[in-house]
Amino acid sequence: MPSIRQNTFSDLLPDFRNLGVIARVLVAVNAVAMIAAIYAAPSLRGAMERFIEDAAFLEPLLFVEVAMLFALSRQLGRMTYRGGCAAVVLLAAALAVIYQIAVSGMEQTPGALLRGAFFAALLAGVLLGYFRLLVKAFSPALAEARLQALQARIRPHFLFNSINAVLALIRRDPKRAERTLEDLADLFRSLVSDARRFVRLSDEIALLERYAEIEQLRLGDRLRITWELDAAPSDALLPPLVLQPLLENAVYHGVEPATEPGNVLVHIERRGNRVVARIENALIETEAERAGNRMALDNIRERLALFFDAEARMDTRTDGGRYRVEIDMPYLTRARTAEG
Amino acid sequence: MSVLRVFIADDEAPARERLKELLQDIAEEVPTEVVGEARHGLEAIERIPGSGAQVLLLDIEMPGMRGLEVARHLVGLEGSPAVVFVTAHDKHAVEAFELSALDYLLKPVRAQRLAAALKRAAAGRAPDGEQLARAHNDAREYLSVTERHRIVLVPVRDIVFLRAEQKYVTLRTKLRSHLIEESLIALEREFARRFVRIHRNCLVARDAIRGFERAAPSNDEPHWMVVLDGIEERLPVSRRQWPTLRELVDEQNLK
């Protein structure tokens, strides 16, 4: 199974093909140029002129750097973290020297060349540090995810009722009782598994089906799930336990509180280089609100950000008496891993 | 020991099956007969009165109406059954049961515990209203009028006003009125978010207030009357409550 390296995320270079990462680099470098211009120029007007002048010089170099990192992203990913960082810093310095020579010919003094290289390397180093901090800031979400998974995801309510349902089956339908216990075991295995691993969509879908099987046993024909999975790319990778909690929420809020049967829709499809998953349930109006699902949603959102940065979105909306959660994430088939 | 008549209310079919299985297992110790089942709270309210049940095994987490509220509506019923609550996991409910000395079982239920609870229930009485009200923190979704073998539920959101008259409280919806045996003070406390007091003897649904009219000064000083949605009758506002109500109206007008 593909996995993110086993130690921690902070020991991994940023994904230079990720839009979020690219955008952060562009903004950060321009911000530094702007600050330098304001510092160097006597007036605000002068600062603007200076900045535009600098930017005209800087921007082509910046694009070349970003493009090089994009192209070399896989090779960099194969290196150790320290080696990768050194390579990125050297690359920045080297490109700065080559670019200066290309633009102004040989008339640059070695001192000026060196100074350019030094600033490029410094900036690259600072940015790498920033990405490391960013990932560290998100890391608690991972540790928490497992705890929450156990405590809240699989609600105790669900566990005890499921065991009760199995007890009711043992005498009448021992085969189904066995299968249900196996399903429960699979569900719990995934909950205690490593939250840092990417999982294949087909595995996550299998988990959804196991979970649905158990709920079906408890709720009978009150639960009607429509599966729209024909266009689901089974080889897509995603963080674990992103879809199952959403299905559980849908059952908990959209089916259990209703006296009439409730429909839940699970729709997963590939749209070009995106994977879109949508889970819908009926909106039940009761005066007594059931315990909120904010926590599960927030945690999923954080983990999506950690795995995909700005390239994944999760939206919730209600209309026409239905509650919808939609996740839109990049279609990845190979994790960024040390093994490549 | 005579056969104990048991009613089972649970929304999950396997849970009902399991309880019936256990009742059979302990039949020698506690002979029972299942006289009825319900799949949700409203069905329980409908079926229990005619069932002749002596003991009710009542699930807490049910759609339609939750177990605790079901129990509260059964209180006024002639020969209302003793109640044993059943819950898979509801920390708050369990705490409340302990505090109010109500009997409960945890799912999965053990045969021994079930037998013990049934014996206690057979010897004891139905829980009283006060006990249940203490265990039930949420406001009810319905008020009920108990007829001889029937419980009539009135959704709280349909109630336009509640007016105390002597022993009873009149409950008025757009369509009709009922008499209930509850105290107006307790109702005011329970439904503070929904109703506002306009007079010593009267609570009015906040969202039913359409406006105020000045009553024609016939003999004594003039006073204000509440105009309500869907009801002809105007209700007098006491001088004491007027400032509070005027603020409420100002707030609504600002929105």
Side-chain angles (χ1 to χ4, degrees):
Chain A
M1 183 178 280
S3 71
I4 284 174
R5 268 191 297 172
Q6 288 306 298
N7 23 17
T8 57
F9 263 90
S10 54
D11 285 345
L12 205 63
L13 284 176
D15 177 3
F16 296 112
R17 298 189 176 187
N18 186 298
L19 272 182
V21 171
I22 294 171
R24 283 176 219 271
V25 169
L26 294 180
V27 170
V29 173
N30 279 294
V32 169
M34 174 81 91
I35 291 165
I38 290 170
Y39 184 74
S43 68
L44 200 63
R45 199 191 151 83
M48 278 318 288
E49 280 165 9
R50 172 97 191 230
F51 171 64
I52 289 164
E53 212 173 283
D54 288 354
F57 174 78
L58 203 62
E59 239 58 64
L61 171 60
L62 188 55
F63 285 130
V64 170
E65 299 242 11
V66 168
M68 284 296 278
L69 288 173
F70 188 97
L72 294 175
S73 140
R74 182 152 295 155
Q75 284 74 11
L76 287 167
R78 287 208 192 103
M79 304 171 98
T80 62
Y81 179 68
R82 278 159 192 279
C85 286
V88 171
V89 170
L90 282 177
L91 186 72
L95 283 175
V97 171
I98 296 168
Y99 177 73
Q100 284 179 88
I101 293 172
V103 170
S104 32
M106 289 311 286
E107 61 206 52
Q108 289 274 10
T109 63
L113 282 177
L114 219 54
R115 207 173 59 207
F118 174 72
F119 279 121
L122 186 69
L123 213 49
V126 168
L127 277 172
L128 283 170
Y130 160 73
F131 281 116
R132 193 184 164 100
L133 278 181
L134 201 64
V135 165
K136 275 206 168 145
F138 270 125
S139 292
L142 281 181
E144 220 180 292
R146 285 159 98 184
L147 198 67
Q148 281 194 0
L150 282 168
Q151 289 187 338
R153 269 317 136 51
I154 294 293
R155 298 176 167 96
H157 165 79
F158 168 75
L159 173 64
F160 292 125
N161 280 316
S162 302
I163 292 175
N164 202 38
V166 175
L167 284 171
L169 271 181
I170 285 177
R171 294 183 209 178
R172 283 181 297 126
D173 190 350
K175 285 258 158 58
R176 187 152 187 215
E178 287 171 10
R179 220 171 52 231
T180 309
L181 280 180
E182 285 159 3
D183 287 343
L184 261 179
D186 278 344
L187 206 52
F188 274 81
R189 200 185 315 286
S190 70
L191 283 176
V192 295
S193 69
D194 193 337
R196 290 172 305 217
R197 290 168 94 84
F198 272 112
V199 295
R200 282 164 55 94
L201 182 58
S202 54
D203 293 332
E204 186 76 1
I205 288 174
L207 192 68
L208 290 182
E209 286 166 347
R210 306 240 146 97
Y211 168 74
E213 183 85 8
I214 299 170
E215 290 286 37
Q216 201 75 65
L217 171 67
R218 289 176 50 215
L219 300 172
D221 27 339
R222 284 165 63 196
L223 173 61
R224 293 175 187 165
I225 304 186
T226 309
W227 301 92
E228 293 180 357
L229 303 174
D230 292 345
S234 56
D235 58 348
L237 296 178
L238 71 168
L241 288 173
V242 158
L243 300 178
Q244 188 275 335
L246 295 180
L247 181 56
E248 191 173 338
N249 270 339
V251 173
Y252 187 75
H253 293 280
V255 179
E256 283 194 62
T259 52
E260 298 299 311
N263 283 306
V264 172
L265 173 75
V266 179
H267 176 101
I268 306 175
E269 65 169 334
R270 182 179 158 192
R271 285 186 206 154
N273 59 353
R274 315 284 301 164
V275 178
V276 178
R278 192 171 76 238
I279 293 180
E280 283 183 26
N281 59 269
L283 207 59
I284 310 291
E285 277 189 51
T286 51
E287 303 251 324
E289 265 299 304
R290 303 197 88 182
N293 64 346
R294 273 255 70 84
M295 220 169 66
L297 290 185
D298 286 346
N299 186 273
I300 293 171
R301 197 169 269 134
E302 275 176 36
R303 284 186 296 136
L304 284 172
L306 188 57
F307 278 75
F308 295 122
D309 202 314
E311 289 190 5
R313 272 189 311 109
M314 180 168 77
D315 297 314
T316 60
R317 77 200 142 92
T318 54
D319 62 85
R322 304 280 289 171
Y323 178 81
R324 294 191 178 82
V325 183
E326 190 172 283
I327 291 179
D328 182 330
M329 57 198 164
Y331 172 54
L332 280 188
T333 54
R334 294 158 63 94
R336 302 182 294 121
T337 62
E339 307 90 69
Chain B
M1 196 176 182
S2 62
V3 175
L4 199 61
R5 294 187 301 274
V6 178
F7 191 103
I8 298 174
D10 195 308
D11 61 319
E12 296 180 14
R16 295 195 299 274
E17 291 305 313
R18 178 64 182 161
L19 281 175
K20 283 191 276 185
E21 243 171 42
L22 289 171
L23 288 174
Q24 272 170 20
D25 290 353
I26 58 170
E28 269 186 32
E29 199 183 343
V30 190
T32 51
E33 177 199 354
V34 176
V35 293
E37 291 179 42
R39 292 166 302 174
H40 54 78
L42 296 173
E43 206 169 71
I45 291 288
E46 202 180 292
R47 294 183 179 178
I48 289 168
S51 69
Q54 295 165 289
V55 180
L56 168 61
L57 295 174
L58 182 58
D59 185 34
I60 290 298
E61 284 255 313
M62 277 193 297
M65 185 192 288
R66 290 167 56 87
L68 262 162
E69 184 167 346
V70 170
R72 291 184 71 179
H73 292 302
L74 295 176
V75 167
L77 197 69
E78 207 177 278
S80 65
V83 181
V84 177
F85 293 99
V86 185
T87 179
H89 170 82
D90 193 330
K91 229 173 80 213
H92 302 293
V94 165
E95 278 166 17
F97 295 152
E98 296 278 357
L99 281 175
S100 316
L102 292 167
D103 214 352
Y104 69 92
L105 294 168
L106 291 173
K107 284 187 206 176
V109 176
R110 279 174 192 271
Q112 249 53 57
R113 297 251 168 85
L114 179 62
L118 288 175
K119 281 184 196 162
R120 278 198 300 274
R125 316 181 12 248
D128 65 55
E130 238 174 85
Q131 229 178 332
L132 290 166
R134 229 181 309 144
H136 191 218
N137 286 322
D138 308 323
R140 286 167 288 177
E141 286 186 55
Y142 298 86
L143 290 181
S144 56
V145 184
T146 312
E147 295 171 0
R148 243 180 99 74
H149 288 297
R150 204 163 75 97
I151 296 168
V152 180
L153 294 174
V154 182
V156 172
R157 61 173 175 276
D158 289 354
I159 300 172
V160 181
F161 68 80
L162 295 156
R163 186 166 55 198
E165 15 225 326
Q166 284 144 29
K167 272 183 67 186
Y168 297 97
V169 168
T170 300
L171 171 172
R172 184 77 159 87
T173 67
K174 279 182 196 170
L175 299 176
R176 50 176 304 188
S177 68
H178 304 268
L179 287 181
I180 54 171
E181 272 185 276
E182 301 208 34
S183 98
L184 199 67
I185 293 172
L187 288 169
E188 184 183 22
R189 209 178 309 132
E190 182 173 353
F191 301 107
R193 280 171 58 188
R194 195 159 186 96
F195 295 93
V196 60
R197 187 177 278 267
I198 59 162
H199 194 274
R200 188 165 36 82
N201 68 3
C202 192
L203 304 177
V204 165
R206 291 167 194 270
D207 54 15
I209 298 177
R210 284 291 156 269
F212 296 90
E213 269 178 13
R214 233 181 210 306
S218 51
N219 35 24
D220 45 22
E221 7 175 354
H223 59 278
W224 293 91
M225 306 286 278
V226 180
V227 182
L228 293 163
D229 191 29
I231 285 188
E232 281 298 305
E233 195 179 346
R234 306 280 190 259
L235 301 173
V237 180
S238 72
R239 207 145 13 125
R240 192 166 152 195
Q241 296 300 327
W242 176 240
T244 332
L245 283 163
R246 200 172 46 195
E247 266 175 40
L248 198 77
V249 173
D250 289 346
E251 271 170 34
Q252 278 175 352
N253 288 344
L254 283 178
K255 271 177 203 163

